[in-house]
Amino acid sequence: MELRWSAFDKALALAGFALDGQLISANAKFQALLHLTPADLVGLQHAQLCPAGMVQTPEYDAMWQSLCAGHEFSGVVERVGSDGNHRWLEALYAPVRDKQGVVTHIMMVATDVTQSKRTELARQDHLWRLSLVADSTDAAILITDSNSRVVYSNGGCQRMFGWTLSEIQDHKSLELLAQQTPVELFERVRADLRRGIPVEMEEVVTGKGGRRYWGKIICNPVMDAQGKWAYTVLVLLDITKTKIHEVLHHRALQAMSHDLPLMRVLEVVCEEVERVAPEVCASILQVDEQGLLHPLASPSLPFSYSSQLDGVAIGPTVGSCGTAAWRKEPVLVTDIETDPLWADFKALIRPLGYKVCWSTPILQKDGKVLGTFAFYYKENGPFVASSFHQQLVEACTDLCALAMEREQARQRIKELAYYDALTGLPNRRLLETQIAQLLDTAQQTGQYVAILYLDLDLDRFKNINDSFGHADGDALLREVAARIRNLVRSGGVAGRLHGDEFVVASLLDAEEKVSSLIERWQAHLMRPLQLPQAQVDLSVCVGVAMYPQDGNVITSLLHRAEMAMHQAKSGGTGRVGFFSLSLSRAAEERLALEIALREALQSGGLELYYQPQIELAVGRLHGFEALARWQHPTLGTIPPDRFIPLAEECGLIGPLSRWVLEQACGQLAQWRREGLAVPAVAVNLSASNFHNLELPTLVEQILERHGLQPSDLYVELTESTLLEDHSATLQTIERLHDLGVRLSLDDFGTGYSSLSYLRRLPITELKLDRSFVADLEHAPMARSLSAAILGIGTSLGLTVVAEGVETVAQKDILQAQGYPVVQGYWFAKPMPPQALPAWMAEQGMNRAQQV
C-alpha cells in the first residue's frame, strides 16, 4: 500500500487507520501537518486527532461506522495537532478491502486547506459582525435578488414593520411595503436599478397589520462580475413626522398664500389627510365666542350631516367634538352606538356607517378653543389613534390653528379697512359702496334716496368729554351708533365719518316721505341717554340731499348733504337743512379757488414745509416729510385737504406733484451743501400720478439734476392707489422701485389694507394712520390694531412710521409697542426750510450725530 501511494507522498498527507480507529501508518506529510513525532504515532487513535466536541457527537460515530461498512467519506475536516493547533484538511476517507471484499482498514488522503478555511471563517465573522450592526440600527434594511424578492432583512425591519424574514422572504419588497404606490413607478425604479443607477423615493409604506409610515426608500443596486444587476440593498427610514409637516404645511400654506377662504384652506388639509390615510374621514368644526359649533370643512361627509351640527353648543356630552372642545383635550369614542357621549347624536351618524370618532381640540396659544379636528372610522381597528394618525393630527391641529388665527387677523384688518373701530359702523369707504348700491337700486326701480348727514351737538359732546372723560364720550358715540344701527335694520345704510358725524341713506317710494323719515329719526335719536354718571339730552342737526334731484354722484351727494347740515347748524341746534340752489355758491367758490391755485403754481405762491420723522429709540433724525402749504394774499391760509383734492379734480395734480418733487429734492441738496446731513426727504404723490408711465423718468431726472441718490427719496402712496384698477399703476411702482426710490404706504389702515398688496409690492415703509394714534390713549381697540399693524410690518421687513403723535402718552404707548419711527406735533410742527437748521441744533442733532 505504501508503494502504491509513494508517488504522492510528498504532495499529499497519507494515513491508515484500523477499524477500531488506531493509527497504523502515516507519511511524513501527515506527520508534519499535525506536528506528530514517531513516538506520538504509537497507539494514536483517530479520535485523538479530532476536536473533543466532535468525537462525542452521534454524527462522528455514524461516520466511522459508515466507513467500516465500506462507504467513502470526503469533505473538509477539522483536525488537531499534537501542538494543540487546529488544521483544516480536504480529506478522502476510503475503506480498503482484502481479496474477499472485507474491509480491513481505512485509508485517509488529505491536503491542507487551513489558510483558505481561515479566510472563509474570517469572512463569515465579518458578515456576522455586519449583521449585528445592521440589526442594531433603527433603519429597516432589506436585500433583494434580481427578481426584487427579499433574501435578507435586519432587526430594524422587524421592529419597524413587524415582519420576520421568514414572513417576507421571496416577496417583492416594494409591492409589499408601498401598497398605495402605482405599480408603474416600481417598474421605472427597477429599470434604473438594472442600469446600475441608485434610486431614492418618499412614499407611504405599510407594515404588518396595516400600520403606516411615511418612509424614505434608498435603493442601491449591486452588480455581479459581468455588470448585471444581482442584488439590491434597500434602506428605509421613518420620516413620518417630517414628511407630514412638509406635505401638509406646503399644501395649506400655499392655499393661504393665495388668499383662499378659510373653509377652502381647511378643505385642502382634510383632502391631503384623506389621501395619505384613506381609512379616515376628516372633519373640522369651528367654536365661536358663544361656544357654538359651526362646520368648516368635511369634504367626505354629506352636507346633510354637517349642517345639523351648525349652532350646537359644546358641552360634557356632545359627541366627540363638542366634548373635546368642552374638556380642551382629545376624546376617543370607539363605539358610537353605545357610548353615552353620543346618545343625542348617534342617529345622525348611524346611516353613514361610522362607528368610531376621535376628536382633538384646536387651541390658541393662550388655551382658547378655536375648533376641533376629528377622524371618523368605520371600524375599530389598528388604525384608530395609531402613531401615524397621531402625527397627522398634531400637524393638522397646528395648521388649523394657524389658518383660524390668520382668518381672525384678516377679519380684524377688514374691520380696520371698512369699519369704524369705536362704533362698529361702516367707515366712509364702505359707506360709499353701500350708498352706490342704493343708487343703483333706485335707478332701476324709479325710487328716491335720501342722504342724511347727522351731526351731534358738538359743544355738548365736548362738555361730556371734559366733564366725565373720554370713556363717557365714547360710550355716547357707541349708543348713538347702536340707535342708528337699529333704525336702518329694516332698510337703508349708515356709517360714521369722523368725530360725532354720521351719515344715513334710505330708499323712499316718494320724495315727500323724507319729512316723516327725518321726524322718526330725530325722535329716536334725541331720546335722553343715560350715561354712568349722568343723563344726557342729545341734539342732532341733520343735512339732507336727495337723489336724483340734488345729484347722482355719491361724493357730490355727500358733500351737498354736509353743506345742508352746516346750513342747519348755523340756524341753531336740532335743526334740519335741505340742499338748495343757494348752496351752489360753494361751487362758485371752488371755481375761484381753482383759478387761484393755477396762478399760485405759476407764480410761486405755494411753499413746502417740512416735518421731522424721528427714530424713537435713539432720538435720531430719520428724515423730513415735505408738506405743501398755501397762503393766499386775500383768501388767507388754504389747507392741503382743500386744495389738493381740488388739484385732483381740476387736473392740476400733475404740475403740483412735479413742483413738490423739484422743490423737495432741491432743498435736500441745498441742506447737504450747507453741511446738514439730512438722511432723506419724503414726498406724497397722488394716485393719479402713478397713472403716468413717465413718472419714474421724471423722478430720475430730478434726482440727477440735484446730485441725489434714489435712496435719498421716499415716495408716499396711499392704499387707494393700490386699489385702482389702472394698468399703469403697478408698472410705475415697479419702475420706481427698480430705480432705487423707496416707497412708503401712507395712511395704512384706512383703506382696504390687503396683506396680499404688502406681499407683492416693493414697499419699504408703512405709515400708521393718525386716526389710530389719536385713539391710543382711550381705545383699547386702537392699541390692539396699532400693535397688529406693527407686527405685520415688522414680519414683512418694513419700517413702520406712526404719524400724528401729539401727546406724550401717545409717544409712550408707541415706544412701548416698539414703533421705530414717529412724527407729529409732539416732536415738531411742519416748519419752513430755513427754520430747520436751528431746530436741529436745538434738538442736539448736530452733524456728527447725523453722519
Side-chain angles (χ1 to χ4, degrees), residues 434-443 445-452 492-493 503-511 514 517 544-551 554 557:
Q434 293 175 337
I435 294 176
Q437 294 170 350
L438 283 183
L439 298 184
D440 288 342
T441 301
Q443 185 179 25
T445 60
Q447 293 175 287
Y448 300 87
V449 177
I451 311 292
L452 278 60
V493 297
V503 168
V504 176
S506 183
L507 272 173
L508 299 173
D509 294 328
E511 183 179 3
V514 67
L517 175 71
V544 184
M546 296 291 297
Y547 167 86
Q549 295 90 322
D550 297 329
I554 301 168
L557 284 169

Side-chain angles (χ1 to χ4, degrees), residues 654-675:
L656 175 59
S657 297
R658 284 194 296 272
W659 175 82
V660 170
L661 282 167
E662 189 74 51
Q663 290 294 314
C665 291
Q667 184 61 63
L668 178 60
Q670 180 178 336
W671 279 329
R672 290 182 174 178
R673 286 193 298 271
E674 293 171 354

Side-chain angles (χ1 to χ4, degrees), residues 365-416:
K365 293 178 181 178
D366 60 3
K368 177 184 177 183
V369 178
L370 296 172
T372 61
F373 181 81
F375 281 171
Y376 288 86
Y377 303 83
K378 294 199 172 180
E379 297 294 338
N380 183 15
F383 291 126
V384 174
S386 65
S387 174
F388 183 67
H389 286 183
Q390 287 175 356
Q391 293 183 73
L392 279 174
V393 168
E394 289 172 6
C396 290
T397 51
D398 288 344
L399 277 175
C400 291
L402 175 64
M404 289 178 173
E405 289 174 345
R406 174 180 175 271
E407 183 63 20
Q408 290 178 348
R410 284 164 59 102
Q411 291 302 320
R412 286 196 295 270
I413 295 296
K414 183 178 179 181
E415 290 174 3
L416 173 65

Side-chain angles (χ1 to χ4, degrees), residues 460 464 468 476 526-531 534-538:
R460 186 166 300 177
I464 291 171
F468 305 119
L476 170 64
M526 294 174 68
R527 288 182 293 125
L529 187 149
Q530 186 64 50
L531 294 177
Q535 179 175 292
V536 178
D537 294 324
L538 292 180

Side-chain angles (χ1 to χ4, degrees), residues 469-535:
H470 287 279
D472 277 357
D474 291 347
L476 170 64
L477 291 175
R478 282 193 291 267
E479 176 59 26
V480 171
R483 294 181 178 184
I484 291 174
R485 193 179 292 108
N486 288 331
L487 283 169
V488 298
R489 285 188 184 189
S490 58
V493 297
R496 181 191 181 204
L497 297 186
H498 49 76
D500 58 349
E501 296 181 357
F502 299 82
V503 168
V504 176
S506 183
L507 272 173
L508 299 173
D509 294 328
E511 183 179 3
E512 61 272 12
K513 289 187 177 181
V514 67
S515 297
S516 59
L517 175 71
I518 293 171
E519 290 176 5
R520 179 165 58 88
W521 275 72
Q522 281 191 311
H524 186 73
L525 291 176
M526 294 174 68
R527 288 182 293 125
L529 187 149
Q530 186 64 50
L531 294 177
Q533 302 185 52
Q535 179 175 292

Side-chain angles (χ1 to χ4, degrees), residues 176-322:
L176 174 69
L177 298 174
Q179 298 173 9
Q180 298 183 60
T181 305
V183 176
E184 295 79 10
L185 175 62
F186 301 153
E187 294 306 321
R188 291 198 296 271
V189 168
R190 287 167 185 144
D192 285 340
L193 294 174
R194 288 188 190 95
R195 296 197 299 272
I197 301 173
V199 177
E200 290 187 13
M201 53 186 174
E202 296 176 352
E203 298 291 334
V204 175
V205 292
T206 306
K208 189 175 183 179
R211 187 177 180 184
R212 278 196 181 85
Y213 305 86
W214 213 306
K216 181 173 185 178
I217 307 174
I218 306 169
C219 306
N220 287 298
V222 178
M223 317 307 283
D224 63 15
Q226 288 73 41
K228 291 184 179 181
W229 177 38
Y231 298 97
T232 303
V233 178
L234 295 92
V235 179
L236 293 93
L237 304 174
D238 183 358
I239 58 169
T240 303
K241 189 170 184 178
T242 301
K243 192 63 178 179
I244 283 175
H245 281 269
E246 176 188 330
V247 172
L248 287 174
H249 281 222
H250 173 73
R251 290 291 311 280
L253 294 177
Q254 185 180 49
M256 283 188 268
S257 70
H258 287 111
D259 281 336
L260 295 183
L262 174 64
M263 294 180 69
R264 181 57 194 139
V265 172
L266 298 182
E267 282 179 357
V268 167
V269 173
C270 291
E271 290 165 359
E272 189 61 32
V273 166
E274 292 174 1
R275 186 183 72 81
V276 299
E279 65 279 359
V280 306
C281 172
S283 171
I284 301 172
L285 301 177
Q286 184 180 40
V287 178
D288 66 17
E289 295 290 339
Q290 290 72 44
L292 304 180
L293 296 171
H294 303 286
L296 284 180
S298 52
S300 297
L301 287 174
F303 177 75
S304 59
Y305 172 73
S306 300
S307 61
Q308 294 182 76
L309 302 179
D310 195 16
V312 173
I314 65 174
T317 56
V318 185
S320 298
C321 296

